[in-house]
Amino acid sequence: MRKISLLCAGFILVLGTALYAQDANEIAKKVHDLPDGKTSYSEVTLTLLDKNGKSRVREVATYNMKDGTTDKSITVFRSPKDVAGVSYLSFDYPDNPDGSPKDSDSWLYLPAMKKVRRVSGSSKDDDFQGTDFTYDDIGDRALGKDTFAIIGDDTVDGRSCWKLEYTAKDKNAKISRRVLWIDKETYVTYKGEYFDKQNKLFKTMVCEDIREQDGYWTTGKMTMTTIPTNHTTVYEVKEIKYDTDINPSFFTVSALERGQVK
Amino acid sequence: MIRRNLLIAVVLLVLCSALFAQDMDYSGTFITQAGVGLPNTHHNSGDFLIGQTSFDSTFKVYSDETMLYVNTILLYDAIAGQSSNGTSAFVSGDNNFALQLREAYFDWRGDVLALRVGRQISAWGKADDIQIVDILCPQDEASGLVNDYQDNRLGIDAVRLSYIGESTQTDFYWIPFFTPSPLPLAEGNPLNDVMFGSYDTAPGSYDDFDLPDRELASGEYAVRFSAYMSAFDFSLYGFYGWDDMPFYTADMNGKYKRMAMVGADAAIPAGDFVFRVETAFFPQRYIQASEGGTKQRNQIMALGGVDWTPAGGWTITAQYVADIVTGSDSALDRHTYEHQATLSVEKPFLNETLTLSGSFAVDLRYFSTSTELMAEYKLTDSITISLAGDFYFAGPDKDGDYGSWKDVSCIILKGKYSF
C-alpha cells in the first residue's frame, strides 16, 4: 500500500511539473505574441543617467509592420546629432520548426558612408546605443533562445503576477537568467530582474505607465538599471500609433539608402 | 526703389512661407583638427601636417515624396593645403580658404520609379575603404591625411533614375560633367611631396591638365542592379566614363583617359559573421607607363572580406584584395600583381562614450604598412574629442605602397561639435 502511495505521489509530482512547465511555455508565448497592431509607429526618448547624475538623451522613431509571419521594423535615430539619420532595418522571423531561433535579416544605413551595410542578424544581446537595454530587451526576444519556468507568484502595483524565469540556452550569454513579473490577466510585464553568468543580479527593470491604447496594451515607461555600474536608462514612449497608415515601401533597403525614412 | 524693395520683400516672404510650410531639417558638424609629424618623418618631424577647421552643414526639405538635399563645407586650412580640381571647390589664392558644394540635389520617389537630379554621392561596393567597384564618385586625393575614405568621396553632377522592386533596385546614371579627383597641388599640402616627390617637376595647377571637353559626347554612364535577400545581398555594376586620376607625360602634363568597368559584389550573413566578396574587370584600362604616357591592359581586382561582431560590442573586420593587370610589367609604373590585407578592430566602452579602434593594412609584396590607432571620447552628446596616430612604414627592402607615406606619419588631435 505504501509503495502504491509513493508511486502515485511520484506520478503526480512528475505530471504536475510537466503541466507547470507547459504553463510556463504557454505564458512565455502569450507574452511574446501580445498583439501590437498590423502596423505601428512610435517615438521614444531614452535618457541615460550615470552614477553622478549626468544625463544623455537618445531619440528614436520606430516603424513596425507585420508581413505574414515576418515582423518588419525600421529604427531611425534622431538624436544625438552625430548619429541622426542612422537607420536600422530588420526582418524578424518565427523560430525554426525545431524550436531554435532564426536569425533576423538586418541592414544598417550610415548617412556618413552613403551606403547600406548588411549586418549580422544574430547578435541582439549587445547594448542598444550605449543604453542599459539590449536590442533583445527593446524588441521581441526569440522564444527559442530560452527555456521557461514559473518560480512563484507576486503582486506588483496591485496586479497579481507570475514570476516567470527565462534561462538562456546559450551558456555564454552575458545575461544567463531573467525573471519577469507577468500580469496574470493581461500578460504584460511589470518588472524584471536580470542575472549574469555567476547568477548575480546584474540589471533591474521597472515598468510604469501601463495602459490600454486603441485596444493594445502599451508600456509607456521602462527604467533599466545596471547594478555594477549604477547606470540607468529611462525608456519613455512619447508617441505611439497603432494600425496607422505606413507605406510598405518604407521597409526596403532602397528607402533606407535614399534617406527617405526619417 | 521702394517698389523694388517691396517686391523683393514679398518674394522673400512667399519663399520663406513656402519653405516653412514644409518639413525641414538643418544639421551639421564643426570640426577643428591639428596633426604633427612624428620624429621619424625627417623634414616633417615636429611640423604641423594638418591644421584645419571646417563647418559642414546639411539642409533637407521634405515635401510629400520629394526631398531637397544640400550639403556645403566651409573650410579654413592653416597650412595652406587646399587645391581645387576646378569643379568641386572654390579655393582662395593663398590656398587657405575653400568652399565646397559637396551635394545638392532633389529626390523624388514614386511607387516603382525614383529620380535624383543634381550633385550627389553614391557609394558602390561592399569593400571597406578600398576602391574596387566604388569608382562612380572621385576620391579627394588632396585630403587623404585629414579625412577617411568615406569623407573623401566627392559628389558627381548626375541624373539618377531608379526602378524599385520589393527587394531589388536598378539605378541608371547619366553624368554629363566629369569630376576629376582633386590632387595635392598646393605646395603647403604635405601630400604634394608624397605624390610628386619622385618627379623632377610637379604640376602647379589644373591649367597643366588636359581635361575632357565640356560636351555631350564626354558624358559618363553607369548602371547598378542590387538585390537584397534573406540568404545574401548581391549587386551587378557597369560603368563607362573617365578615370578620375590623370596620366602624366614625361614632362608632367596630365591627361584624363576613358575607362570601362563591369563588376559584382555580394554580402552573405552567417551567424555573427558577414562575408563579403567584390570583383571588377576593367577591359583595356589605361595604366601609367614608367617612362611617361600610358599602356592599355586588362585589369581585374577582387576582394574577400569578413565582418565579425561577437558579443560585447566588438567589431572585427578583415579583408584581402588582389589587383592584377595582364601582360608584363616592364613598361608599367606598377606591378602586374599587387595584393594587400587589412584588419580593423573597434570596441566601445563606458556606455559608448569611449571608442577605441585600430586599423592595419599591409601590402603583401614589399610588406610596407599603414596603422591607425584612435581613441574617441564623447565629452557630451554634441562634442567628441579624438586622438589618433597614423603610422606608415616602408617595407624591409623597398618603400612599397605605404612607404611613400612614411614622412607624413603623425599624431592628430580633433574636436567635433555636432548640431
Side-chain angles (χ1 to χ4, degrees), chain A residues 17-92:
Chain A
T17 309
L19 282 173
Y20 215 48
Q22 190 185 14
D23 282 347
N25 288 341
E26 280 175 7
I27 293 164
K29 185 162 181 357
K30 281 182 177 167
V31 172
H32 183 270
D33 294 344
L34 267 178
D36 53 2
K38 167 82 177 148
T39 62
S40 66
Y41 167 75
S42 61
E43 291 177 16
V44 169
T45 300
L46 295 123
T47 307
L48 287 69
L49 298 158
D50 70 12
K51 59 184 175 188
N52 301 317
K54 191 180 163 191
S55 70
R56 293 184 293 144
V57 176
R58 273 103 189 80
E59 292 171 305
V60 295
T62 307
Y63 301 80
N64 294 290
M65 183 181 81
K66 287 196 190 336
D67 185 7
T69 57
T70 306
D71 286 335
K72 297 183 173 180
S73 67
I74 300 180
T75 303
V76 186
F77 292 89
R78 292 186 172 163
S79 78
K81 283 295 183 181
D82 63 338
V83 294
V86 170
S87 314
Y88 182 77
L89 171 66
S90 182
F91 296 171
D92 296 326

Coordinates of all heavy atoms in Angstrom, one line a residue, chain A residues 17-92:
Chain A
T17 N 4.8 18.8 -12.5 CA 6.0 19.5 -13.1 C 5.8 19.7 -14.5 O 6.0 20.8 -15.1 CB 7.3 18.7 -12.8 OG1 7.3 18.4 -11.4 CG2 8.5 19.5 -13.1
A18 N 5.4 18.7 -15.2 CA 5.2 18.8 -16.7 C 4.2 19.8 -17.0 O 4.3 20.6 -17.9 CB 4.8 17.4 -17.3
L19 N 3.0 19.8 -16.3 CA 2.0 20.7 -16.6 C 2.4 22.2 -16.3 O 2.2 23.1 -17.0 CB 0.7 20.4 -15.7 CG -0.1 19.2 -16.1 CD1 -1.2 18.9 -15.1 CD2 -0.8 19.6 -17.5
Y20 N 3.2 22.3 -15.2 CA 3.7 23.6 -14.8 C 4.6 24.2 -15.8 O 4.5 25.3 -16.2 CB 4.4 23.5 -13.4 CG 4.2 24.7 -12.5 CD1 2.9 25.2 -12.3 CD2 5.3 25.2 -11.9 CE1 2.8 26.3 -11.5 CE2 5.2 26.3 -11.0 CZ 3.9 26.8 -10.8 OH 3.8 27.9 -10.0
A21 N 5.5 23.2 -16.3 CA 6.4 23.6 -17.4 C 5.7 24.1 -18.6 O 6.0 25.0 -19.3 CB 7.4 22.5 -17.7
Q22 N 4.7 23.3 -19.0 CA 3.9 23.6 -20.1 C 3.2 25.0 -20.0 O 3.2 25.8 -20.9 CB 2.8 22.5 -20.3 CG 2.1 22.7 -21.7 CD 1.0 21.7 -21.8 OE1 0.5 21.1 -20.8 NE2 0.5 21.5 -23.0
D23 N 2.7 25.3 -18.7 CA 2.1 26.6 -18.5 C 3.1 27.7 -18.7 O 2.8 28.7 -19.3 CB 1.6 26.6 -17.0 CG 0.3 25.9 -16.9 OD1 -0.3 25.6 -17.9 OD2 0.0 25.6 -15.7
A24 N 4.4 27.5 -18.2 CA 5.4 28.5 -18.4 C 5.7 28.8 -19.9 O 5.8 29.9 -20.3 CB 6.7 28.0 -17.7
N25 N 5.7 27.7 -20.7 CA 5.9 27.9 -22.1 C 4.7 28.7 -22.7 O 4.9 29.6 -23.6 CB 6.1 26.6 -22.8 CG 7.4 25.9 -22.5 OD1 8.3 26.6 -22.1 ND2 7.5 24.6 -22.7
E26 N 3.5 28.3 -22.3 CA 2.4 29.0 -22.8 C 2.3 30.5 -22.5 O 2.0 31.3 -23.3 CB 1.1 28.3 -22.3 CG 0.7 27.0 -23.1 CD -0.4 26.3 -22.5 OE1 -1.1 26.9 -21.5 OE2 -0.7 25.2 -22.9
I27 N 2.7 30.7 -21.2 CA 2.7 32.1 -20.7 C 3.8 32.9 -21.5 O 3.5 34.0 -22.0 CB 3.0 32.2 -19.2 CG1 1.9 31.6 -18.4 CG2 3.2 33.6 -18.8 CD1 2.2 31.2 -17.0
A28 N 5.0 32.3 -21.7 CA 6.0 33.0 -22.4 C 5.6 33.3 -23.8 O 5.9 34.4 -24.4 CB 7.3 32.1 -22.4
K29 N 4.9 32.3 -24.4 CA 4.4 32.5 -25.8 C 3.4 33.6 -25.9 O 3.4 34.5 -26.8 CB 3.8 31.2 -26.4 CG 3.4 31.3 -27.8 CD 3.3 30.0 -28.5 CE 2.9 30.0 -29.9 NZ 2.7 31.3 -30.6
K30 N 2.5 33.7 -24.9 CA 1.4 34.7 -24.9 C 2.1 36.1 -24.6 O 1.6 37.1 -25.2 CB 0.4 34.4 -23.8 CG -0.6 33.3 -24.2 CD -1.7 33.1 -23.2 CE -2.6 32.0 -23.8 NZ -3.5 31.5 -22.8
V31 N 3.1 36.1 -23.8 CA 3.8 37.4 -23.6 C 4.5 37.9 -24.9 O 4.4 39.0 -25.3 CB 4.9 37.3 -22.5 CG1 5.7 38.5 -22.4 CG2 4.2 37.0 -21.1
H32 N 5.1 36.9 -25.5 CA 5.8 37.2 -26.8 C 4.9 37.7 -27.9 O 5.1 38.6 -28.7 CB 6.6 35.9 -27.3 CG 7.4 36.1 -28.5 ND1 6.9 35.9 -29.7 CD2 8.7 36.5 -28.7 CE1 7.8 36.2 -30.6 NE2 8.9 36.5 -30.0
D33 N 3.7 37.0 -27.9 CA 2.7 37.3 -29.0 C 1.6 38.3 -28.6 O 0.6 38.4 -29.3 CB 2.0 36.0 -29.4 CG 3.0 35.0 -30.0 OD1 4.1 35.4 -30.4 OD2 2.7 33.8 -30.1
L34 N 1.9 39.1 -27.6 CA 0.9 40.1 -27.2 C 0.6 41.0 -28.5 O 1.5 41.5 -29.1 CB 1.5 41.1 -26.2 CG 1.2 40.7 -24.7 CD1 1.9 41.7 -23.8 CD2 -0.3 40.7 -24.4
P35 N -0.7 41.2 -28.8 CA -0.9 41.9 -30.1 C -0.5 43.4 -30.0 O -0.6 44.0 -29.0 CB -2.5 41.8 -30.2 CG -3.0 41.3 -28.9 CD -1.8 40.7 -28.1
D36 N 0.1 43.8 -31.1 CA 0.6 45.2 -31.2 C 0.2 45.9 -32.5 O 0.9 46.8 -33.0 CB 2.0 45.4 -30.8 CG 2.9 44.5 -31.7 OD1 2.4 43.8 -32.6 OD2 4.1 44.5 -31.5
G37 N -0.8 45.4 -33.2 CA -1.3 46.0 -34.4 C -0.6 45.5 -35.6 O 0.4 44.9 -35.6
K38 N -1.3 45.7 -36.8 CA -0.8 45.3 -38.1 C 0.4 46.2 -38.4 O 1.4 45.7 -38.9 CB -1.9 45.4 -39.1 CG -1.5 45.4 -40.5 CD -1.3 44.0 -41.0 CE -0.9 44.0 -42.5 NZ -0.1 42.9 -42.9
T39 N 0.3 47.4 -38.0 CA 1.4 48.4 -38.1 C 1.5 49.2 -36.9 O 0.5 49.3 -36.1 CB 1.2 49.4 -39.3 OG1 0.0 50.1 -39.1 CG2 1.1 48.6 -40.7
S40 N 2.6 49.8 -36.6 CA 2.7 50.8 -35.5 C 3.8 51.7 -35.8 O 4.8 51.4 -36.5 CB 2.9 50.1 -34.2 OG 4.1 49.4 -34.1
Y41 N 3.7 52.9 -35.1 CA 4.7 53.9 -35.2 C 4.9 54.5 -33.8 O 3.9 54.8 -33.1 CB 4.3 55.1 -36.2 CG 5.1 56.3 -36.1 CD1 6.4 56.3 -36.6 CD2 4.7 57.4 -35.4 CE1 7.2 57.4 -36.5 CE2 5.5 58.6 -35.3 CZ 6.8 58.6 -35.8 OH 7.6 59.7 -35.7
S42 N 6.2 54.6 -33.4 CA 6.4 55.2 -32.1 C 7.6 56.1 -32.1 O 8.5 55.9 -32.9 CB 6.6 54.1 -31.0 OG 7.7 53.3 -31.4
E43 N 7.5 57.1 -31.2 CA 8.7 57.9 -30.9 C 9.1 57.7 -29.5 O 8.2 57.8 -28.6 CB 8.3 59.4 -31.2 CG 8.1 59.7 -32.6 CD 7.6 61.1 -32.9 OE1 7.8 62.0 -32.0 OE2 7.1 61.4 -34.0
V44 N 10.4 57.5 -29.3 CA 10.8 57.1 -27.9 C 12.0 57.9 -27.5 O 12.9 58.3 -28.4 CB 11.2 55.6 -28.0 CG1 12.0 55.2 -26.7 CG2 10.0 54.7 -28.2
T45 N 12.1 58.3 -26.3 CA 13.2 59.0 -25.7 C 13.9 58.1 -24.7 O 13.2 57.5 -23.9 CB 12.8 60.3 -25.0 OG1 12.1 61.1 -26.0 CG2 14.0 61.0 -24.4
L46 N 15.2 57.9 -24.9 CA 16.0 57.2 -23.9 C 16.9 58.1 -23.2 O 17.8 58.8 -23.8 CB 16.8 56.1 -24.7 CG 16.0 55.0 -25.3 CD1 16.3 54.9 -26.8 CD2 16.2 53.7 -24.7
T47 N 16.7 58.2 -21.9 CA 17.6 59.1 -21.1 C 18.6 58.2 -20.3 O 18.2 57.4 -19.5 CB 16.7 59.9 -20.1 OG1 15.7 60.6 -20.9 CG2 17.6 61.0 -19.4
L48 N 19.9 58.5 -20.5 CA 20.9 57.7 -19.9 C 21.4 58.5 -18.7 O 21.8 59.7 -18.8 CB 22.1 57.5 -20.8 CG 21.9 56.4 -21.9 CD1 20.9 56.9 -23.0 CD2 23.2 56.1 -22.6
L49 N 21.4 57.9 -17.5 CA 21.9 58.6 -16.3 C 23.0 57.8 -15.7 O 22.9 56.6 -15.4 CB 20.7 58.7 -15.3 CG 19.5 59.4 -15.7 CD1 18.3 59.0 -14.9 CD2 19.7 60.9 -15.5
D50 N 24.2 58.5 -15.6 CA 25.3 57.8 -14.9 C 25.3 57.9 -13.4 O 24.4 58.6 -12.9 CB 26.7 58.2 -15.5 CG 27.1 59.6 -15.2 OD1 26.4 60.2 -14.3 OD2 28.0 60.1 -15.8
K51 N 26.2 57.3 -12.7 CA 26.2 57.3 -11.3 C 26.3 58.7 -10.6 O 25.9 58.9 -9.5 CB 27.2 56.4 -10.7 CG 28.6 56.7 -11.1 CD 29.6 55.7 -10.6 CE 31.0 56.0 -11.0 NZ 32.0 55.0 -10.8
N52 N 26.9 59.7 -11.4 CA 27.0 61.0 -10.9 C 25.8 61.9 -11.3 O 25.8 63.1 -11.0 CB 28.2 61.7 -11.5 CG 29.5 60.9 -11.1 OD1 29.6 60.5 -10.0 ND2 30.4 60.7 -12.1
G53 N 24.8 61.3 -11.9 CA 23.6 62.0 -12.3 C 23.7 62.7 -13.6 O 22.7 63.4 -14.0
K54 N 24.8 62.6 -14.3 CA 24.9 63.2 -15.6 C 24.0 62.5 -16.6 O 24.0 61.3 -16.7 CB 26.4 63.2 -16.1 CG 26.7 64.0 -17.3 CD 28.2 63.8 -17.6 CE 28.5 64.3 -19.0 NZ 29.8 64.0 -19.4
S55 N 23.3 63.3 -17.4 CA 22.4 62.6 -18.3 C 22.7 62.9 -19.8 O 23.3 63.9 -20.2 CB 20.9 63.1 -18.1 OG 20.8 64.5 -18.5
R56 N 22.4 61.9 -20.6 CA 22.5 62.0 -22.1 C 21.2 61.5 -22.7 O 20.5 60.6 -22.1 CB 23.6 61.1 -22.6 CG 25.0 61.7 -22.2 CD 26.1 60.9 -22.8 NE 26.2 59.5 -22.3 CZ 26.5 58.5 -23.0 NH1 26.8 58.6 -24.3 NH2 26.6 57.3 -22.5
V57 N 20.8 62.0 -23.8 CA 19.5 61.7 -24.4 C 19.6 61.1 -25.8 O 20.3 61.6 -26.6 CB 18.5 62.9 -24.3 CG1 17.2 62.6 -25.0 CG2 18.3 63.4 -22.9
R58 N 18.9 60.0 -26.1 CA 18.8 59.5 -27.4 C 17.3 59.5 -27.8 O 16.4 59.1 -27.0 CB 19.2 58.0 -27.5 CG 20.7 57.8 -27.7 CD 21.4 57.4 -26.4 NE 22.8 57.4 -26.6 CZ 23.6 58.5 -26.6 NH1 23.0 59.7 -26.4 NH2 24.9 58.4 -26.7
E59 N 17.0 59.9 -29.0 CA 15.6 59.9 -29.5 C 15.6 59.0 -30.8 O 16.4 59.2 -31.7 CB 15.2 61.3 -29.9 CG 15.0 62.2 -28.7 CD 14.8 63.6 -29.0 OE1 15.6 64.2 -29.8 OE2 13.7 64.2 -28.6
V60 N 14.6 58.1 -30.8 CA 14.5 57.2 -31.9 C 13.0 57.1 -32.3 O 12.1 57.3 -31.5 CB 15.0 55.8 -31.6 CG1 16.5 55.8 -31.4 CG2 14.2 55.1 -30.5
A61 N 12.8 56.9 -33.6 CA 11.5 56.7 -34.2 C 11.5 55.2 -34.7 O 12.5 54.8 -35.3 CB 11.1 57.6 -35.3
T62 N 10.4 54.5 -34.5 CA 10.3 53.1 -34.9 C 9.0 52.9 -35.7 O 8.0 53.3 -35.3 CB 10.4 52.2 -33.7 OG1 11.5 52.5 -32.9 CG2 10.5 50.7 -34.1
Y63 N 9.2 52.3 -36.9 CA 8.1 51.9 -37.7 C 8.0 50.3 -37.7 O 9.1 49.7 -37.9 CB 8.3 52.3 -39.1 CG 8.4 53.8 -39.3 CD1 9.7 54.5 -39.1 CD2 7.4 54.6 -39.7 CE1 9.8 55.8 -39.2 CE2 7.5 56.0 -39.9 CZ 8.7 56.6 -39.7 OH 8.9 57.9 -39.9
N64 N 6.9 49.8 -37.5 CA 6.7 48.3 -37.5 C 5.6 47.9 -38.4 O 4.6 48.6 -38.6 CB 6.4 47.8 -36.1 CG 7.5 48.0 -35.1 OD1 8.5 47.4 -35.2 ND2 7.3 48.9 -34.2
M65 N 5.8 46.7 -39.0 CA 4.7 46.2 -39.9 C 4.8 44.7 -39.9 O 5.9 44.1 -40.0 CB 4.9 46.7 -41.3 CG 3.8 46.3 -42.3 SD 4.0 46.8 -44.0 CE 5.2 45.6 -44.6
K66 N 3.6 44.0 -39.8 CA 3.6 42.6 -39.9 C 3.3 42.2 -41.4 O 2.4 42.7 -42.0 CB 2.4 42.0 -39.1 CG 2.7 42.1 -37.6 CD 1.8 41.2 -36.8 CE 1.9 41.4 -35.3 NZ 3.1 41.9 -34.8
D67 N 4.2 41.4 -41.9 CA 4.0 40.9 -43.3 C 4.0 39.4 -43.3 O 5.0 38.7 -43.3 CB 5.2 41.4 -44.1 CG 5.1 41.1 -45.6 OD1 4.0 40.6 -46.0 OD2 6.0 41.4 -46.4
G68 N 2.8 38.8 -43.2 CA 2.6 37.4 -43.0 C 3.2 37.1 -41.6 O 2.8 37.7 -40.6
T69 N 4.1 36.1 -41.5 CA 4.7 35.8 -40.2 C 6.0 36.6 -39.9 O 6.6 36.4 -38.9 CB 5.0 34.3 -40.2 OG1 5.9 34.0 -41.2 CG2 3.8 33.4 -40.3
T70 N 6.3 37.5 -40.9 CA 7.5 38.3 -40.7 C 7.2 39.6 -40.0 O 6.3 40.3 -40.5 CB 8.2 38.5 -42.1 OG1 8.4 37.3 -42.7 CG2 9.5 39.3 -41.9
D71 N 8.0 40.0 -39.0 CA 7.9 41.3 -38.4 C 8.9 42.2 -39.0 O 10.1 42.0 -38.8 CB 8.1 41.2 -36.9 CG 6.9 40.6 -36.2 OD1 5.8 40.7 -36.7 OD2 7.1 40.0 -35.1
K72 N 8.5 43.2 -39.7 CA 9.5 44.2 -40.3 C 9.5 45.4 -39.4 O 8.5 45.9 -39.0 CB 9.0 44.5 -41.7 CG 9.0 43.3 -42.7 CD 8.7 43.7 -44.1 CE 8.8 42.5 -45.0 NZ 8.5 42.9 -46.4
S73 N 10.7 45.9 -39.2 CA 10.8 47.2 -38.4 C 12.0 48.0 -38.9 O 13.0 47.5 -39.5 CB 11.0 46.8 -36.9 OG 12.3 46.2 -36.8
I74 N 11.8 49.3 -38.7 CA 12.9 50.3 -39.0 C 13.0 51.2 -37.8 O 12.0 51.7 -37.3 CB 12.5 51.2 -40.2 CG1 12.3 50.4 -41.5 CG2 13.7 52.2 -40.4 CD1 12.0 51.3 -42.6
T75 N 14.2 51.3 -37.3 CA 14.5 52.2 -36.2 C 15.4 53.3 -36.8 O 16.4 53.1 -37.4 CB 15.3 51.5 -35.1 OG1 14.5 50.4 -34.7 CG2 15.6 52.4 -33.9
V76 N 15.0 54.6 -36.6 CA 15.7 55.7 -37.1 C 16.2 56.6 -35.9 O 15.3 56.9 -35.1 CB 14.8 56.6 -38.0 CG1 15.7 57.7 -38.7 CG2 14.2 55.8 -39.1
F77 N 17.4 56.9 -35.9 CA 18.0 57.7 -34.8 C 17.8 59.2 -35.1 O 18.1 59.6 -36.2 CB 19.4 57.4 -34.5 CG 19.6 56.0 -34.0 CD1 19.8 54.9 -34.8 CD2 19.6 55.8 -32.6 CE1 19.9 53.6 -34.3 CE2 19.7 54.5 -32.1 CZ 19.9 53.4 -32.9
R78 N 17.2 59.9 -34.2 CA 17.1 61.3 -34.4 C 18.0 62.2 -33.6 O 18.3 63.3 -34.0 CB 15.6 61.7 -34.1 CG 14.7 61.1 -35.1 CD 13.3 61.6 -34.9 NE 12.4 61.1 -36.0 CZ 11.1 61.1 -35.9 NH1 10.5 61.5 -34.8 NH2 10.4 60.7 -36.9
S79 N 18.4 61.7 -32.5 CA 19.5 62.4 -31.7 C 20.2 61.3 -30.9 O 19.6 60.3 -30.6 CB 18.8 63.4 -30.8 OG 18.3 62.9 -29.6
P80 N 21.4 61.6 -30.5 CA 22.2 62.8 -30.6 C 22.5 63.0 -32.1 O 22.4 62.1 -32.9 CB 23.5 62.6 -29.8 CG 23.6 61.1 -29.8 CD 22.2 60.5 -29.8
K81 N 22.9 64.3 -32.4 CA 23.0 64.7 -33.8 C 24.1 63.9 -34.6 O 24.0 63.8 -35.8 CB 23.3 66.2 -33.9 CG 22.0 67.0 -33.6 CD 21.0 66.8 -34.7 CE 19.7 67.6 -34.5 NZ 18.7 67.4 -35.6
D82 N 25.1 63.5 -33.9 CA 26.2 62.8 -34.6 C 25.8 61.4 -35.2 O 26.4 60.9 -36.0 CB 27.5 62.7 -33.8 CG 27.3 61.8 -32.6 OD1 26.2 61.7 -32.1 OD2 28.3 61.3 -32.1
V83 N 24.6 60.9 -34.7 CA 24.1 59.7 -35.2 C 22.7 59.9 -35.9 O 22.1 58.9 -36.3 CB 24.0 58.5 -34.2 CG1 25.4 58.1 -33.7 CG2 23.2 58.9 -33.0
A84 N 22.3 61.1 -35.9 CA 21.0 61.4 -36.5 C 20.9 60.8 -38.0 O 21.9 61.1 -38.7 CB 20.6 62.8 -36.5
G85 N 19.9 60.2 -38.3 CA 19.7 59.6 -39.7 C 20.2 58.2 -39.8 O 19.9 57.5 -40.8
V86 N 21.0 57.7 -38.8 CA 21.4 56.3 -38.8 C 20.1 55.4 -38.7 O 19.2 55.7 -37.8 CB 22.3 56.0 -37.7 CG1 22.5 54.4 -37.6 CG2 23.6 56.7 -37.9
S87 N 19.9 54.5 -39.6 CA 18.7 53.7 -39.7 C 19.0 52.2 -39.7 O 20.0 51.8 -40.3 CB 17.8 54.1 -40.9 OG 17.8 55.4 -41.1
Y88 N 18.1 51.5 -39.1 CA 18.3 50.0 -38.9 C 17.1 49.3 -39.4 O 16.0 49.5 -38.8 CB 18.6 49.7 -37.5 CG 18.9 48.3 -37.1 CD1 20.2 47.8 -37.4 CD2 18.0 47.5 -36.4 CE1 20.4 46.4 -37.1 CE2 18.3 46.2 -36.1 CZ 19.5 45.7 -36.4 OH 19.8 44.4 -36.0
L89 N 17.2 48.5 -40.4 CA 16.0 47.8 -41.0 C 16.2 46.3 -40.6 O 17.3 45.7 -40.8 CB 16.0 47.9 -42.5 CG 15.0 47.0 -43.3 CD1 13.6 47.4 -42.9 CD2 15.3 47.1 -44.8
S90 N 15.1 45.7 -40.0 CA 15.2 44.3 -39.6 C 14.0 43.6 -40.0 O 12.8 44.1 -39.8 CB 15.4 44.3 -38.1 OG 15.6 43.0 -37.6
F91 N 14.2 42.3 -40.5 CA 13.1 41.4 -40.7 C 13.2 40.3 -39.7 O 14.2 39.5 -39.8 CB 13.1 40.8 -42.1 CG 12.9 41.8 -43.2 CD1 13.1 41.5 -44.6 CD2 12.5 43.1 -43.0 CE1 13.0 42.4 -45.6 CE2 12.4 44.1 -44.0 CZ 12.6 43.7 -45.3
D92 N 12.3 40.1 -38.8 CA 12.4 39.1 -37.8 C 11.4 38.0 -38.1 O 10.2 38.2 -38.5 CB 12.0 39.7 -36.4 CG 13.0 40.7 -36.0 OD1 14.2 40.6 -36.3 OD2 12.6 41.7 -35.3

